[in-house]
Amino acid sequence: MESKSFEDLCYRLSSGLSTDLSALLPQSLQHEVGHFNVFNLTEMGPTPRKKPAIPYPCRAYYKISFLTGRSMAQYSDKTIEILRPALIFSTPKKPFLWAPEGRQTGQFCVFTADFLHPNQSGVILDELPVFKSPEHPVYTLSESDIAKVQAIFDNMEAEIRSNYVYKYDLLRAYTLELIHLAQKLQSATMLHPNHSASARLTSLFIELLEKQFPLESPQQTIALRTARQFADQLSVHINHLNKILKETTGLTTTELIAGRIVQESKTLLHHTDWTIAEIADSLGFSDFAHFAKFFKTGTSLSPGAFRSQAKSVNFT
């Protein structure tokens, strides 16, 4: 039987070439449901300069890698050059090969599907966008994301060595935190495959508009009232926002905002005892006259007439 050094075994695992995961797992893990371990590339010593590129179509485990060195990732029919710190995901379902270029630093964790079994984690692993998505599994990290990922892996390393009775529950939580961080980095169209970019922008606008309501007290005041304010908040040009909303809803940005404010005005006039001046102020109007004109344009009634009519209907 061919003998292999520990360094070579570590390299094979870190490159996604090992089918014998249990060779690197602590004995105590054999008693857990599923397997998990975390490794630090720095502690493994120098990365071998030349290793054969071995296809690996039948891995038994999932791997999440945090790499800071220069490398190449071969995924399906694509080759991705990794120049900046990145988070890389590999699964048993898709062939994947990592080719380091020079010395590597970073950390990675490996786990079997049973480790994140729905009964243990509450998720279906292969249904998560980060593993299901056709996008390549390499996510370049910003400086703030690098700090977050580093902290998670450091916590994993500390926890795997601890004697805490529930450490594997905590390690599952850290693993899920890495998964969710990556999913936030995925494009909106991949996370919402049935949504076009236009529909996504419309959804974000409506969400931003609705977050301002309901108003619970006269001391509350809505912050966003104009099309330009919404465009600035969404980081798009006002003309682009108007064009998209007109295409998706048939209404302009201003019409959508006005319609929602009229709706809230009716609710407040009907169901509260706030003065009309208080309602006007909460809805962002500079004075009573401005609000009265706005409300009458939208309803053909003055605020006072609408309130009287609503009370009359309730009384009868």
Side-chain angles (χ1 to χ4, degrees), residues 163-199:
N163 294 320
Y164 181 48
V165 174
Y166 299 103
K167 70 179 181 180
Y168 290 105
D169 291 329
L170 192 51
L171 287 165
R172 287 186 187 94
Y174 289 143
T175 304
L176 288 170
E177 190 173 357
L178 287 174
I179 290 170
H180 287 298
L181 189 151
Q183 290 181 169
K184 287 182 179 180
L185 297 174
Q186 282 186 321
S187 69
T189 53
M190 296 314 305
L191 290 175
H192 303 275
N194 297 323
H195 289 192
S196 67
S198 296

Side-chain angles (χ1 to χ4, degrees), residues 14-251:
S14 68
S15 301
L17 304 178
S18 174
T19 55
D20 188 14
L21 175 61
S22 62
L24 285 178
L25 292 171
Q27 187 66 33
S28 61
L29 261 67
Q30 307 306 319
H31 304 294
E32 296 291 327
V33 177
H35 295 310
F36 175 93
N37 209 346
V38 59
F39 299 91
N40 193 311
L41 285 172
T42 305
E43 296 173 359
M44 290 181 176
T47 306
R49 291 184 179 179
K50 291 184 180 180
K51 286 289 176 180
I54 304 173
Y56 189 55
C58 55
R59 289 166 301 180
Y61 61 92
Y62 294 75
K63 183 173 66 156
I64 305 174
S65 306
F66 169 48
L67 303 175
T68 60
R70 186 186 181 100
S71 59
M72 300 286 289
Q74 297 176 18
Y75 171 73
S76 298
D77 58 345
K78 301 175 183 177
T79 298
I80 305 156
E81 188 175 17
I82 303 170
L83 303 176
R84 288 176 43 78
L87 201 56
I88 304 173
F89 289 75
S90 52
T91 83
K93 307 299 177 69
K94 297 177 182 178
F96 178 85
L97 180 66
W98 174 62
E101 297 182 5
R103 182 171 179 78
Q104 298 294 314
T105 59
Q107 295 146 292
F108 65 94
C109 64
V110 291
F111 54 94
T112 58
D114 283 341
F115 180 71
L116 288 183
H117 190 278
N119 291 341
Q120 298 276 3
S121 66
V123 301
I124 301 175
L125 197 56
D126 290 327
E127 291 299 314
L128 291 170
V130 73
F131 291 120
K132 190 177 182 180
S133 168
E135 284 188 327
H136 62 72
V138 178
Y139 303 94
T140 301
L141 302 173
S142 67
E143 291 301 321
S144 61
D145 287 332
I146 290 171
K148 292 177 186 176
V149 171
Q150 180 74 67
I152 295 170
F153 271 105
D154 288 347
N155 287 337
M156 283 180 167
E157 287 193 40
E159 205 56 52
I160 198 78
R161 294 190 292 265
S162 79
N163 294 320
Y164 181 48
V165 174
Y166 299 103
K167 70 179 181 180
Y168 290 105
D169 291 329
L170 192 51
L171 287 165
R172 287 186 187 94
Y174 289 143
T175 304
L176 288 170
E177 190 173 357
L178 287 174
I179 290 170
H180 287 298
L181 189 151
Q183 290 181 169
K184 287 182 179 180
L185 297 174
Q186 282 186 321
S187 69
T189 53
M190 296 314 305
L191 290 175
H192 303 275
N194 297 323
H195 289 192
S196 67
S198 296
R200 178 64 179 156
L201 180 59
T202 302
S203 175
L204 289 172
F205 167 80
I206 297 299
E207 180 182 356
L208 198 58
L209 180 60
E210 287 297 331
K211 276 183 178 178
Q212 301 190 105
F213 306 105
L215 295 172
E216 300 292 342
S217 76
Q219 287 69 47
Q220 282 182 266
T221 304
I222 63 173
L224 305 174
R225 284 198 66 250
T226 68
R228 183 168 297 281
Q229 287 174 322
F230 277 91
D232 289 345
Q233 193 73 17
L234 294 167
S235 300
V236 297
H237 193 280
I238 187 171
N239 293 341
H240 178 66
L241 180 61
N242 275 323
K243 178 177 179 292
I244 295 302
L245 293 178
K246 185 69 174 178
E247 288 175 353
T248 55
T249 70
L251 298 172

